[in-house]
Amino acid sequence: ACIDPDGTRLNEGWFAGTLSRPDYGREFYRPAPDEQVEWTFPLAYKELYFDRVLPETLVLMRLIDEVQPTFMCSLHNGEFGGVYYYLSHPADELYPLLHAIPEHLGVPLDTGEPEAPYVPQLAPAIFGHASIAEAYEYRVQLGLDPTGDMVTGTSSGDYASRYNTFGLISELPYWGHPDAADTSPSEVNYASVLADRGKGLSELGEILSAVLADASPELRIDSPHLRASRQFAPHFAEFGEQERLRSELPENDRAATIAEVFTGYDIVHCFRMRYGGMMLRALEVEIRAGNGTPAIRAAHARLEAAYQAWSREVLAGTQPSTMPIAALVGVQFGAILAAASYAGDRYGPASLDSSERSG
């Protein structure tokens, strides 16, 4: 069974063979945030409200309500660096196992930057659940618009929390790099890493937004690539501003670890490849359909030139090792067995008293 066959089909171009990161980016697709099954569960928090539940999401809601799972897992793509996990609850006994499984299979951990600064760290490369509410409050603390680009609902993990479900998310890399697991101090200031990342993300947002603005008046095909590009492009300017503000916080004036330097800079490369490649696909849909107007071709040429420059930058660095599929699946499978065994009688409806269940 596949909950998102359209998304699967639109990523088929990179499924076979060993691709470079630029080649992967040219075949990459991620749905617009409000078209993602995982992120369209109902949400109501302060100024945030979302009820445009997708039919596929409704299927998952009904399934979660029917099963009331003790354990639920999601398998994610961390892309580059190493393995990291999210857990819905602290689980001290589980951390050594989640570290040992990838080590046994030769896949590095990723001990660098978490995906968001408000995500709690439970252990190296193991993080707690990060909710939309926490993202909202963190933006408020930084003086940013707490609604911002949040056009989505909440996640399956949030929805299942009503049943005290123990949740595991495994983030696996296609390419590994030893720096992702190196916690020794570097000679780089952490605030500088944040400032540089903020600048790179803001520049990416400016380029993607400008290309869209130039081409949009003549675009005629409402492709999924275009819908996604229109929602993601402005996100990078907001993300960049967040990182700029973080770089000014006194607690970030310290030496960064090698892993923090690696993940701090690589997120810019990652987003350039992913979302630059996806926007190129959106423009190519128009051109191949016969709508290759001068404005669309000029926008495509501009973005293609930027993408080639970004690709050269990615390929100029230390090249990563491609992770064997068997090792990645082994990490996922081992983590699932370990977490399911741990959850056991600790979580799920049976672990709630009657008053909690009725509430």
Side-chain angles (χ1 to χ4, degrees):
C2 177
I3 201 68
D4 185 8
D6 298 327
T8 302
R9 182 64 182 269
L10 291 170
N11 277 286
E12 281 182 341
W14 59 265
F15 283 1
T18 301
L19 297 176
S20 67
R21 295 182 75 189
D23 291 339
Y24 162 79
R26 289 302 302 263
E27 301 291 344
F28 175 85
Y29 168 71
R30 182 169 187 170
D34 62 358
E35 296 181 32
Q36 293 182 25
V37 178
E38 173 64 5
W39 285 105
T40 48
F41 285 77
L43 170 67
Y45 182 78
K46 294 187 176 179
E47 296 178 60
L48 299 179
Y49 184 80
F50 186 91
D51 65 356
R52 289 181 286 118
V53 176
L54 298 176
E56 297 90 342
T57 308
L58 184 59
V59 169
L60 281 183
M61 290 169 61
R62 288 176 173 172
L63 183 62
I64 291 169
D65 290 338
E66 178 182 345
V67 174
Q68 300 186 18
T70 297
F71 171 68
M72 187 170 73
C73 65
S74 297
L75 309 179
H76 285 214
N77 160 26
E79 191 170 308
F80 186 35
V83 178
Y84 58 101
Y85 308 94
Y86 291 101
L87 298 178
S88 60
H89 303 68
D92 291 353
E93 298 171 39
L94 191 55
Y95 307 154
L97 286 171
L98 295 181
H99 288 158
I101 291 165
E103 180 182 9
H104 175 71
L105 293 167
V107 182
L109 290 173
D110 192 327
T111 59
E113 280 277 310
E115 290 187 62
Y118 48 83
V119 175
Q121 181 167 345
L122 305 177
I126 301 175
F127 302 98
H129 175 70
S131 69
I132 295 291
E134 288 168 316
Y136 182 104
E137 297 301 338
Y138 187 79
R139 287 174 178 265
V140 170
Q141 291 175 18
L142 286 181
L144 296 170
D145 178 2
T147 59
D149 61 351
M150 293 183 183
V151 295
T152 67
T154 192
S155 67
S156 59
D158 262 351
Y159 188 79
S161 65
R162 65 191 63 194
Y163 303 114
N164 199 32
T165 299
F166 184 81
L168 164 74
I169 296 175
S170 302
E171 298 270 4
L172 273 295
Y174 299 138
W175 300 276
H177 198 288
D179 285 358
D182 192 340
T183 57
S184 59
S186 72
E187 297 180 358
V188 181
N189 184 274
Y190 181 58
S192 296
V193 174
L194 294 176
D196 289 345
R197 179 166 63 186
K199 180 181 178 182
L201 291 170
S202 295
E203 289 175 348
L204 173 61
E206 290 170 4
I207 290 172
L208 296 182
S209 296
V211 167
L212 270 178
D214 290 345
S216 284
E218 300 186 26
L219 297 176
R220 299 291 180 265
I221 300 175
D222 184 33
S223 71
H225 307 86
L226 180 60
R227 294 195 300 272
S229 294
R230 282 176 166 157
Q231 288 195 29
F232 281 117
H235 164 75
F236 299 116
E238 296 188 12
F239 193 179
E241 177 64 6
Q242 172 186 287
E243 299 306 272
R244 185 191 68 79
L245 292 172
R246 288 183 64 207
S247 73
E248 297 174 354
L249 298 176
E251 61 265 31
N252 292 326
D253 184 15
R254 59 171 177 82
T257 67
I258 290 175
E260 286 173 334
V261 173
F262 171 79
T263 56
Y265 286 110
D266 189 71
I267 195 67
V268 177
H269 297 312
C270 170
F271 288 163
R272 285 171 173 175
M273 296 294 95
R274 285 184 174 190
Y275 299 103
M278 187 166 65
M279 189 175 289
L280 282 171
R281 292 180 74 184
L283 297 175
E284 287 161 2
V285 165
E286 296 279 349
I287 294 170
R288 291 170 181 168
N291 188 30
T293 68
I296 293 175
R297 289 187 177 277
H300 181 272
R302 176 182 178 185
L303 184 55
E304 181 67 49
Y307 193 84
Q308 292 303 321
W310 297 333
S311 298
R312 289 191 293 271
E313 191 173 333
V314 165
L315 297 174
T318 302
Q319 290 308 294
S321 55
T322 301
M323 294 286 98
I325 293 294
L328 301 181
V329 173
V331 172
Q332 291 176 336
F333 185 56
I336 289 170
L337 292 179
S341 176
Y342 171 83
D345 297 328
R346 292 179 175 89
Y347 296 96
S351 69
L352 299 175
D353 63 32
S354 59
S355 64
E356 288 176 303
R357 278 200 295 271
S358 63

